[in-house]
Amino acid sequence: MLPSAWTFDSSGGFGDATWTSKDGRWYVKTHSVLRDGKKASATNVITVLDAHTISWQSTHRTLEGEALPDTKVVKMKRVK
């Protein structure tokens, strides 16, 4: 069984996600329902770059079945 997660936000949206790991990256496939009832999905890619840095990008995004562009890659560095 793959690791999974649920999400809930304060405006009434909710979703679920399945996590898989391959080649040093985590792939988080998400399915969400926004507070207005619209359905969204995406694959978030998390890559460990070094002991203190990761990158994140949201790909294969859809809203109500319509394709959306991938986000830019965001790098996050741990602050000591």
Side-chain angles (χ1 to χ4, degrees):
M1 180 176 233
L2 297 172
S4 61
W6 293 347
T7 57
F8 302 91
D9 70 41
S10 61
S11 68
F14 60 92
D16 65 75
T18 303
W19 292 63
T20 56
S21 178
K22 183 178 179 187
D23 299 328
R25 293 184 171 146
W26 283 98
Y27 297 88
V28 186
K29 293 189 179 201
T30 66
H31 298 91
S32 303
V33 178
L34 306 180
R35 75 179 193 172
D36 62 4
K38 291 181 180 176
K39 294 182 179 178
S41 65
T43 300
N44 297 310
V45 182
I46 302 165
T47 306
V48 176
L49 301 175
D50 62 38
H52 301 286
T53 312
I54 64 169
S55 69
W56 171 90
Q57 183 180 28
S58 189
T59 65
H60 303 100
R61 300 179 333 132
T62 65
L63 178 60
E64 288 292 295
E66 296 291 323
L68 297 172
D70 294 349
T71 66
K72 293 181 179 180
V73 175
V74 176
K75 288 186 181 178
M76 294 174 251
K77 188 165 184 122
R78 182 184 321 205
V79 177
K80 294 181 180 182

